[in-house]
Amino acid sequence: MTDLAYLLAAAAAALLVRRYVFCLTRIQGRSMLPTLRSGQWAFVSRWDYLAGRPRRGDVVICFFPGRMMKRLPFLRQLMVKRVVGLPGETVAFEEGSVLIDGQALREDYLGPQARRPLTRPPVLLGEDEYFVLGDNRDASRDSRAVGPLNRRMIVGRVRFLLPFRPLR
């Protein structure tokens, strides 16, 4: 094999790994405080969702529709959020708590500032829909604003942060 063939094979392998196994991404913004801080690097596993499905509590990287998405669909923004609602569930808000099918969701990862009362009509999730929220609810654009996300909009699961720190 020539040097060019090795280089092309290595580039193809790297692209396949990034597309189907894992990638690194840099966190930007305050929407996931106190769990994630702007500037941190996150190891994102795409492998987790090739065969499996997102679970409640997973911190995920997902595509969010932008304002221009309807006219220019290639302008999609990657966001980091936490999965709270799963397909077929009803998500509601009451006195600062998230309710899943009428039961308060235990959210130990939230700071006290995130428990402000929210008023939103209940949302019934479809067969392949997920409701995602930022941990810092006051600074998060999430499913409360854009609606539920379809499964194909979820890219991968944040597994740990660099320098190495497991995500709780």
Side-chain angles (χ1 to χ4, degrees):
M1 260 187 165
T2 67
D3 288 343
L4 180 58
Y6 281 120
L7 183 62
L8 290 175
L15 288 173
L16 287 172
V17 165
R18 180 170 166 69
R19 174 74 172 116
Y20 295 106
V21 182
F22 75 89
C23 64
L24 293 174
T25 190
R26 189 167 190 167
I27 306 300
Q28 295 179 5
R30 306 173 320 163
S31 73
M32 286 299 291
L33 286 172
T35 306
L36 302 173
R37 293 184 315 277
S38 191
Q40 287 181 304
W41 284 93
F43 177 91
V44 179
S45 170
R46 293 174 178 253
W47 186 259
D48 287 17
Y49 300 147
L50 285 180
R53 299 178 70 75
R55 297 176 305 191
R56 186 179 340 279
D58 285 357
V59 175
V60 299
I61 301 296
C62 49
F63 287 115
F64 259 42
R67 292 184 184 98
M68 297 290 291
M69 188 172 177
K70 290 184 180 172
R71 285 182 271 159
L72 303 169
F74 57 87
L75 290 180
R76 297 186 296 179
Q77 188 174 9
L78 278 175
M79 306 291 277
V80 59
K81 303 295 173 198
R82 187 179 300 273
V83 175
V84 296
L86 304 174
E89 295 180 334
T90 299
V91 179
F93 298 89
E94 184 178 291
E95 297 178 20
S97 294
V98 176
L99 303 179
I100 304 295
D101 293 335
Q103 300 295 313
L105 180 62
R106 186 174 172 189
E107 297 184 286
D108 297 333
Y109 45 82
L110 292 181
Q113 79 285 355
R115 301 221 181 258
R116 292 191 186 152
L118 298 171
T119 305
R120 297 266 188 269
V123 176
L124 175 61
L125 299 175
E127 183 179 307
D128 210 24
E129 292 182 327
Y130 294 83
F131 202 90
V132 297
L133 294 173
D135 289 356
N136 183 3
R137 306 279 157 83
D138 286 344
S140 180
R141 183 169 175 263
D142 47 39
S143 287
R144 294 171 297 166
V146 301
L149 298 185
N150 189 282
R151 166 61 190 94
R152 70 179 179 275
M153 296 175 83
I154 298 175
V155 174
R157 179 178 174 199
V158 175
R159 296 298 275 170
F160 59 85
L161 303 172
L162 299 174
F164 184 75
R165 188 185 101 200
L167 196 61
R168 59 180 171 130

